[in-house]
Amino acid sequence: MSNAPSVYPGRRRAAGLAAGVLAVPLLVSLVPVPALADHSALPASVTLVGSLQSELGCPGDWQPECTATALNEVEGSPGTYSATFDLPAGDYAYKTALNGTWAENYGDGGAAGGADIALTSQGGQITFTYNHSTHVITSDVPASLVSGAAAHWLAPSVLAWDLADAPEGSSYRLYYAPDGGLEVVDGAVPNGNYVDLQRSSDSLGAELAATSPHLASFDTLALPKKAARQAKDLLKGELLVVQVGADGTVLQATGVQVPRVLDALYPKALKRTLGLSWKGPRPRFDLWAPTARQVSLHVYREGSGGEALATVPLKEGHDGVWSLLGEKDWKDAYYLYEVEVYVPETGAVERNLVTDPYSVGLSTNSERSLIVDLDDPALAPSGWKSLEKPALAQPEDLSLYELHVRDFSISDTTVPAERRGTYAAFAETGSDGMKRLADLADAGLNAVHLLPVNDIGTIEERRDVQAEPQCDLESFAPDSEEQQACVSAVAGKDGFNWGYDPLHYTTPEGSYSTNPEDSTRIREFRDMVVGLNTTGLRVIQDVVYNHTAGAGQTSTNNLDRIVPGYYHRLNPTSGGVETSTCCPNTATENAMMGKLMVDSIVTLARTYKLDGFRFDLMGHHSKQNMLDVRAALDELTLKKDGVDGKSIYVYGEGWNFGEVANNARFEQATQLNMAGTGIGTFNDRLRDAVRGGGPFDEDPRVQGFGSGLWTQPNGAEVNGTPEEQRARLLLSQDQIKVGLTGNLRDYTFIDRTGAEVTGADVDYNGSPAGYTADPQEAITYVEAHDNETLFDSLAFKLAPGTSMADRIRFQTLSLSTTAFGQGISFWHAGGEALRSKSLDRNSYDSGDWFNLLDHTGTDNGFARGLPPRADNADKYEFMKPLLADPALKPAPAEIATAREQALSLLEIRKSTPLFHLGTGDLVQQKVSFPTGGPGQTPGVIVMHIDDTTGPDVDSERTGVVVVFNASDTAATQTVPGAEGQSFGLHPVQRSGSDDVVKAASFDPATGSFTVPPLTVAVFEAK
């Protein structure tokens, strides 16, 4: 590559790697999805995917569906696939994807979801070969002496490299070249200078191993003291570590990973205020760019086009921060940084034009950062400073409603057309959507969880440019493939995406604003918060710091073009960016990436008065990251910051997978590790026990407690024999009981065998069902935005011929396990009204058609065609007969029935603090499952919350008994000690719309409760 500097302006791609796979792992359990060959059938197709695809005839890069780069099975070698391509000269990255999707993909070393594989082409034909038995894909490009980036500079005087089997007499050198150009030619490095390294140990010391445990077995190489003192200067150019044989010939060479030494050299940067700040009327700019050679600021009057009205160099500080105090007339102008930096990816010094990673405002499509004062009174809605929050005594009182901003109003004709799908729709208090939320709030819902609303990397923000399906979607058959074909044709160009592909973390997404060009989005976001708060709903933001939408020099992401090789998590030997989350993984274990996350959260909390944060794939962050977030929020006060930070709730997905699994690189923020922190994690144990099976079952008909397991079998072989079903059902009942306690690990009860066990003793796929120390640490749910909705899951699982009336009862029964549990109750938007996504298991990019949220109560979204092929084609054989069955499409009256039953659950939860006791001790004192043990009735769970033991929690009641009857017959259950008491059906059910539950009764003479089939009944004693 040329050493001449070049300018790479920020570019926005409509789709990319992030768009293809961002939703795949969102609901994985602690047990990783099998990816090894002995668990994986021969694929229908194998595709070479990577940054080389556009050179080989594909419309773009990282496209698993593109057949132009398909590999062909080698005749006579089953499981081996190969193809030869004419690839232009250049540096590329690649991996392999199976079956035309990202659901199964393999990278470096055959790792599932592994790092990209680097490749340098000299121009000409290259043969790629994939072996399905090992999942390894290789090319026939000759191996180079220079391989990856397997050396790690950990401290100013210490490098690490795995030097197993080093030849006798080997020595080591660190080569450096300010402008790049290092290479191995004829056994030597002809360019650059070097310092000798001393091999000092065959493993890391305890201190370094603690911060880099995945490198603990690496050998250490010591730098001379003079070179260590020059580390800051050396890091501004190319670095190469080489092994030299006794004869002076280079034996091997590798690039150098530098995050740890940058953290060691610039600790004071952690205390700096970065991004845009204000000194009176003058804006100040601070950018951490320790490896940059120069940084300048370009100021523009407009958000796009035009010449810069000013270009000013920044001054570098000793902490790696470049700073500038701007002019007061720059307010409301736009800016870019020009960063001159050596980029290992290109082997050259580049001049990158980038937005600010700390941007709090942007122009349309994130082209430039906005110089905006967040404290400008013009950006504050009326009453903003005195905005009152809906009351919340403790986190366990939360009932959450997960909602997508665009879904909420894009089809709501009671909202003005220009405000549909935007933040502004939440200020339309008379709209159907806001009336729906008001009804939910009146019933007991008290918080809305918004899917990502940060700046999104794959949505075109100009509404007049967004594409629409070019078909009459209403005209096609309910089981047709036509709808998905039309929707998929514009998926990368329409206005819909879940948003799990972040570009800027601290600026609201512009496509959700009526004007994405200026500060309008800031004001409208605040209007949304006001609208929700005044409706009685707190506001929680879904945040995505675990990955970016792209990485590298040609990406739209700015981080890697400011400090190359720092912000992303790299493979320890190849140096490739890890992508186990779906996309380029960020390295929040690195100090300044961790700081960016914490600073961003604090800014969002203060700027928008948010009430909580939900962390996407939280298990890819360290436990310390999350404790830092918690500590920073706790420092915020109403007087100083306008928000009570201690009342802000934090939770996330505590899944354990990928290159960080099992604490490989740090102690993760996973389910088990977060016990005692007060930070919540999603409870997949109850979810799977209620629904049946897991999110990735090959046969979606696996039944559970809430879908007819054993009691109303669907006949699918996957459920096993009646004896196996009964045993699984009883285990599920134990798992649900633990879930009802808030998944407390130390809660004791009698299990299905008659043994006294703790929540941690109950098995969940080899892991403990109980894992929390406090109920607030469990998010209890049966559906969420990803994977099938509850209605769709039941469509697969319920026995053929199940009536719509019974489907509604199964839906209500399943939702009741979240409403009546001690943890945080979490509902997916529309779940109270049988919401369907036409069986789509991954609707992240399925457009408005498949993500319909209808507020009129006339259409639940079922039977709108077969969902997009990429994530659903393997289930089409199950889907077609269901979608074609008119009996499975609920009528408006049936939707209304389901809604009324669901709202009653919220009302009952709200009516008594006994359903949210707040501590593990109180739960142990008061909550019991009196009909458990080996004689319990399969399909029936009885929960007694006794307020006569321990402190008086509810002055109006002495206790409640809840009977969950998922069986097909009426159940009579005797609760010891209930005889002679005055239990009666809860007044919400006694006077409600469900006539079936009104038949539930209590016999005080025997202490017996009788409940109709497919019914949850709540009895209270006064």
Side-chain angles (χ1 to χ4, degrees):
M1 299 292 288
S2 169
N3 289 332
S6 58
V7 174
Y8 285 82
R11 295 198 296 272
R12 189 183 186 94
R13 293 188 294 186
L17 174 59
V21 289
L22 53 90
V24 171
L26 295 180
L27 281 183
V28 297
S29 68
L30 280 177
V31 181
V33 179
L36 300 179
D38 58 344
H39 295 293
S40 179
L42 290 179
S45 65
V46 176
T47 307
L48 174 71
V49 291
S51 61
L52 39 59
Q53 283 184 281
S54 58
E55 306 283 353
L56 301 177
C58 292
D61 293 328
W62 303 103
Q63 296 185 345
E65 69 277 9
C66 179
T67 59
T69 55
L71 306 184
N72 304 310
E73 189 165 13
V74 177
E75 187 175 354
S77 298
T80 301
Y81 301 78
S82 186
T84 301
F85 303 99
D86 195 350
L87 186 64
D91 293 320
Y92 303 95
Y94 73 95
K95 61 197 313 186
T96 186
L98 308 189
N99 302 314
T101 78
W102 285 109
E104 190 174 356
N105 70 89
Y106 300 96
D108 191 48
D116 303 339
I117 305 166
L119 178 142
T120 298
S121 171
Q122 302 301 320
Q125 292 194 334
I126 298 177
T127 299
F128 295 87
T129 303
Y130 168 73
N131 186 322
H132 193 58
S133 65
T134 62
H135 296 308
V136 171
I137 184 171
T138 58
S139 75
D140 62 356
V141 174
S144 169
L145 285 175
V146 180
S147 176
H152 299 255
W153 200 342
L154 302 179
S157 60
V158 181
L159 284 99
W161 193 11
D162 189 357
L163 298 171
D165 303 321
E168 189 76 24
S170 295
S171 59
Y172 303 91
R173 298 171 181 171
L174 172 64
Y175 279 84
Y176 58 95
D179 298 321
L182 296 177
E183 57 182 341
V184 177
V185 179
D186 297 329
V189 181
N191 301 321
N193 300 307
Y194 71 87
V195 296
D196 288 312
L197 304 173
Q198 182 67 42
R199 185 173 180 180
S200 53
S201 175
D202 59 1
S203 64
L204 300 188
E207 184 176 351
L208 292 176
T211 57
S212 301
H214 63 301
L215 307 177
S217 64
F218 278 35
D219 303 80
T220 56
L221 301 169
L223 281 79
K225 291 183 179 180
K226 180 179 179 181
R229 289 194 296 270
Q230 296 173 334
K232 289 184 177 180
D233 291 330
L234 297 180
L235 286 159
K236 290 182 181 287
E238 184 177 14
L239 300 171
L240 191 70
V241 176
V242 301
Q243 181 187 60
V244 180
D247 62 355
T249 301
V250 173
L251 301 178
Q252 59 176 326
T254 190
V256 183
Q257 297 187 32
V258 300
R260 283 290 176 269
V261 72
L262 289 175
D263 288 346
L265 289 168
Y266 298 102
K268 293 183 179 179
L270 283 169
K271 301 297 184 181
R272 289 294 298 271
T273 297
L274 298 179
L276 171 69
S277 58
W278 292 86
K279 302 299 180 183
R282 300 179 66 183
R284 179 184 171 96
F285 305 86
D286 293 278
L287 178 73
W288 188 69
T291 62
R293 299 145 64 102
Q294 292 182 13
V295 178
S296 297
L297 185 78
H298 296 272
V299 182
Y300 305 86
R301 184 53 59 195
E302 303 298 330
S304 179
E307 296 295 322
L309 60 90
T311 298
V312 187
L314 280 72
K315 183 179 180 181
E316 183 180 15
H318 295 297
D319 50 12
V321 178
W322 297 73
S323 303
L324 170 70
L325 184 62
E327 303 299 327
K328 61 183 181 181
D329 62 352
W330 289 358
K331 183 181 177 183
D332 297 326
Y334 299 86
Y335 68 103
L336 291 172
Y337 291 115
E338 182 180 333
V339 181
E340 183 182 292
V341 64
Y342 174 77
V343 178
E345 179 188 348
T346 65
V349 175
E350 310 287 1
R351 288 199 303 269
N352 290 327
L353 279 175
V354 296
T355 50
D356 190 343
Y358 276 73
S359 293
V360 292
L362 293 161
S363 64
T364 303
N365 284 336
S366 316
E367 190 169 338
R368 291 170 181 164
S369 300
L370 176 65
I371 303 174
V372 59
D373 184 355
L374 295 174
D375 293 328
D376 187 339
L379 299 180
S382 176
W384 179 248
K385 285 190 175 181
S386 58
L387 178 65
E388 291 190 12
K389 291 289 177 180
L392 187 75
Q394 58 184 5
E396 287 87 351
D397 294 349
L398 283 167
S399 292
L400 307 178
Y401 196 67
E402 183 194 44
L403 183 64
H404 185 270
V405 167
R406 183 177 173 93
D407 284 356
F408 174 66
S409 61
I410 195 64
S411 63
D412 188 349
T413 58
T414 64
V415 173
E418 69 276 7
R419 297 163 77 88
R420 294 174 197 163
T422 73
Y423 309 121
F426 292 89
E428 297 287 331
T429 56
S431 71
D432 285 348
M434 289 306 292
K435 289 177 181 177
R436 177 187 200 141
L437 292 182
D439 287 346
L440 285 161
D442 287 344
L445 193 79
N446 54 23
V448 164
H449 158 158
L450 296 171
L451 265 66
V453 287
N454 55 267
D455 180 47
I456 298 169
T458 54
I459 300 181
E460 168 59 59
E461 293 184 348
R462 296 167 297 176
R463 289 209 160 194
D464 58 335
V465 178
Q466 292 171 356
E468 296 285 347
Q470 298 301 299
C471 302
D472 180 4
L473 297 172
E474 298 278 0
S475 69
F476 300 123
D479 60 343
S480 170
E481 290 194 46
E482 297 293 335
Q483 295 95 328
Q484 67 85 27
C486 291
V487 169
S488 298
V490 298
K493 302 173 184 177
D494 65 1
F496 184 91
N497 197 290
W498 277 347
Y500 291 96
D501 46 351
L503 197 54
H504 296 86
Y505 294 117
T506 320
T507 301
E509 164 60 16
S511 71
Y512 298 154
S513 174
T514 61
N515 178 13
E517 181 57 22
D518 54 21
S519 58
T520 303
R521 65 179 80 180
I522 297 170
R523 168 61 189 256
E524 291 181 340
F525 195 111
R526 287 169 166 171
D527 285 336
M528 174 179 66
V529 173
V530 171
L532 289 168
N533 283 175
T534 55
T535 304
L537 299 167
R538 297 168 77 87
V539 182
I540 293 169
Q541 180 174 338
D542 198 330
V543 290
V544 189
Y545 295 98
N546 64 83
H547 65 261
T548 55
Q553 183 64 9
T554 60
S555 166
T556 57
N557 185 266
N558 49 26
L559 295 173
D560 209 36
R561 294 185 291 136
I562 296 171
V563 192
Y566 179 83
Y567 285 102
H568 290 95
R569 188 173 298 128
L570 308 179
N571 182 274
T573 54
S574 72
V577 176
E578 298 285 6
T579 57
S580 58
T581 59
C582 73
C583 320
N585 297 354
T586 56
T588 46
E589 65 270 27
N590 295 343
M592 296 304 286
M593 181 61 213
K595 172 181 169 61
L596 172 57
M597 181 172 85
V598 174
D599 289 351
S600 174
I601 288 290
V602 169
T603 300
L604 290 169
R606 297 177 61 188
T607 303
Y608 300 106
K609 298 183 184 292
L610 295 169
D611 303 293
F613 294 95
R614 178 268 196 193
F615 281 77
D616 181 61
L617 297 185
M618 189 173 72
H620 267 58
H621 298 303
S622 71
K623 179 178 179 179
Q624 189 60 51
N625 285 154
M626 300 310 302
L627 294 177
D628 290 344
V629 166
R630 182 69 271 167
L633 289 174
D634 287 346
E635 292 295 316
L636 302 180
T637 65
L638 280 170
K639 182 177 180 180
K640 177 172 62 75
D641 305 289
V643 59
D644 175 15
K646 289 184 172 64
S647 72
I648 296 175
Y649 182 58
V650 175
Y651 60 106
E653 295 177 302
W655 316 134
N656 178 32
F657 69 99
E659 75 285 349
V660 298
N662 303 316
N663 306 310
R665 298 203 182 197
F666 43 74
E667 185 179 10
Q668 299 164 261
T670 49
Q671 290 168 315
L672 274 63
N673 289 346
M674 298 310 287
T677 65
I679 295 172
T681 58
F682 282 87
N683 171 15
D684 48 354
R685 283 91 161 122
L686 181 137
R687 177 200 72 194
D688 291 351
V690 172
R691 288 168 64 118
F696 304 104
D697 295 332
E698 289 186 15
D699 188 329
R701 296 173 296 175
V702 180
Q703 292 179 287
F705 175 86
S707 57
L709 178 62
W710 191 74
T711 63
Q712 296 189 45
N714 60 23
E717 291 185 8
V718 69
N719 286 302
T721 65
E723 293 75 17
E724 291 169 334
Q725 291 185 46
R726 186 179 189 279
R728 186 154 53 88
L729 175 58
L730 293 177
L731 172 59
S732 295
Q733 291 179 194
D734 280 348
Q735 293 167 341
I736 292 169
K737 291 172 186 177
V738 176
L740 290 168
T741 72
N743 281 81
L744 294 171
R745 64 187 179 190
D746 297 327
Y747 176 83
T748 59
F749 72 109
I750 303 301
D751 76 355
R752 64 200 180 283
T753 70
E756 182 175 335
V757 297
T758 66
D761 292 330
V762 177
D763 178 67
Y764 170 74
N765 297 334
S767 294
Y771 63 87
T772 70
D774 187 276
Q776 77 180 67
E777 293 165 358
I779 307 298
T780 305
Y781 71 117
V782 291
E783 64 177 337
H785 66 275
D786 43 5
N787 300 304
E788 296 87 354
T789 68
L790 178 59
F791 179 89
D792 287 345
S793 175
L794 291 172
F796 282 123
K797 298 175 186 296
L798 292 179
T802 301
S803 68
M804 185 56 64
D806 281 354
R807 290 177 184 275
I808 292 169
R809 304 202 69 77
F810 274 115
Q811 180 100 3
T812 304
L813 183 68
S814 296
L815 288 173
S816 73
T817 62
T818 77
F820 300 149
Q822 295 293 326
I824 311 298
S825 180
F826 179 99
W827 292 30
H828 177 45
E832 79 282 5
L834 306 180
R835 186 181 183 183
S836 167
K837 295 182 181 178
S838 206
L839 303 177
D840 194 346
R841 66 162 301 273
N842 187 16
S843 70
Y844 79 97
D845 204 17
S846 299
D848 301 324
W849 178 255
F850 289 103
N851 286 282
L852 175 71
L853 180 60
D854 173 45
H855 301 308
T856 67
T858 58
D859 190 346
N860 78 325
F862 189 75
R864 292 169 73 83
L866 286 161
R869 292 191 62 86
D871 289 295
N872 298 285
D874 61 332
K875 302 292 191 300
Y876 275 5
E877 63 177 297
F878 299 106
M879 294 177 176
K880 285 181 71 67
L882 298 174
L883 294 172
D885 185 352
L888 297 185
K889 178 75 171 179
E894 292 165 328
I895 294 173
T897 296
R899 179 177 175 277
E900 288 301 316
Q901 291 186 17
L903 291 182
S904 72
L905 303 178
L906 290 172
E907 291 180 47
I908 294 170
R909 177 179 174 85
K910 179 183 177 182
S911 71
T912 171
L914 294 176
F915 288 120
H916 24 101
L917 292 167
T919 70
D921 288 342
L922 283 175
V923 173
Q924 184 67 69
Q925 285 178 345
K926 296 178 178 294
V927 178
S928 64
F929 302 94
T931 62
Q936 67 184 284
T937 305
V940 180
I941 295 173
V942 178
M943 177 174 67
H944 183 199
I945 308 177
D946 186 357
D947 204 20
T948 65
T949 63
D952 185 8
V953 171
D954 186 345
S955 60
E956 297 182 7
R957 298 167 183 82
T958 59
V960 296
V961 168
V962 184
V963 180
F964 304 86
N965 183 7
S967 74
D968 59 347
T969 60
T972 298
Q973 302 285 300
T974 300
V975 174
E979 58 271 15
Q981 295 195 43
S982 57
F983 279 98
L985 194 62
H986 195 287
V988 169
Q989 292 186 320
R990 193 169 61 242
S991 61
S993 61
D994 182 8
D995 290 334
V996 175
V997 75
K998 293 175 183 177
S1001 62
F1002 170 66
D1003 182 354
T1006 60
S1008 298
F1009 299 82
T1010 300
V1011 175
L1014 304 183
T1015 298
V1016 57
V1018 180
F1019 300 86
E1020 61 178 14
K1022 295 289 187 177

